[in-house]
Amino acid sequence: QVQFVESGGGLVQPGGSLRHSCEASGFTLDNFAIGWFRQAPGKEREGVSCKGLSDHSSNYADYADSVKGRFTFSRDKAKNTLYLQMNSLKPEDTDTYYCAAGAACGTSDQQATVLYPMDAWGQGTLVNVSS
């Protein structure tokens, strides 16, 4: 079946790092725009990063302004897995993080957002940045 298995959440002190991963099965990541969302209770979902179909052959990805320079999105083709390396974490990064695949990345101010994501998201993992 089509699914993501997500891991990598946890508790980390400010300034620390975590590595999120999502292993996809039942489909090939190269055939989709892929990326990450995060959401806190009572707040709107935020696109964190997105890699479009045309960008799978390069290292390019779009990032939300709030994470640029700190987060790096990558994928392992052989493992059909995507990663979000999160460095220099801040308390405001505390959220539940989800991996997703969809039709495309957004345009203009939505470049970091996966549009029309599949129903099969990662199950979500909590990142808690606290001292």
Side-chain angles (χ1 to χ4, degrees), residues 69-86:
R70 300 187 298 117
F71 290 11
T72 302
F73 178 30
S74 63
R75 61 110 184 182
D76 186 321
K77 183 177 180 179
K79 296 181 179 179
N80 206 32
T81 299
L82 58 92
Y83 303 93
L84 185 68
Q85 179 68 44
M86 300 178 288

Side-chain angles (χ1 to χ4, degrees), residues 87 94 96:
N87 298 325
T94 297
T96 299

Side-chain angles (χ1 to χ4, degrees), residues 1 8-9 13 22-23 28 37-38 46 67 74 76 88 107 110:
Q1 63 179 10
Q13 294 184 342
C22 274
E23 182 180 0
T28 300
F37 293 93
R38 65 184 183 183
E46 177 188 14
V67 306
S74 63
D76 186 321
S88 301
T107 58
Q110 300 297 117

Side-chain angles (χ1 to χ4, degrees), residues 47-64:
V48 175
S49 183
C50 188
K51 181 183 285 290
L53 287 168
S54 63
D55 297 321
H56 280 305
S57 61
S58 73
N59 293 321
Y60 181 81
D62 290 302
Y63 299 90

Side-chain angles (χ1 to χ4, degrees), residues 101-122:
C105 301
T107 58
S108 64
D109 294 337
Q110 300 297 117
Q111 291 97 335
T113 299
V114 177
L115 299 180
Y116 305 106
M118 298 167 54
D119 290 339
W121 291 39

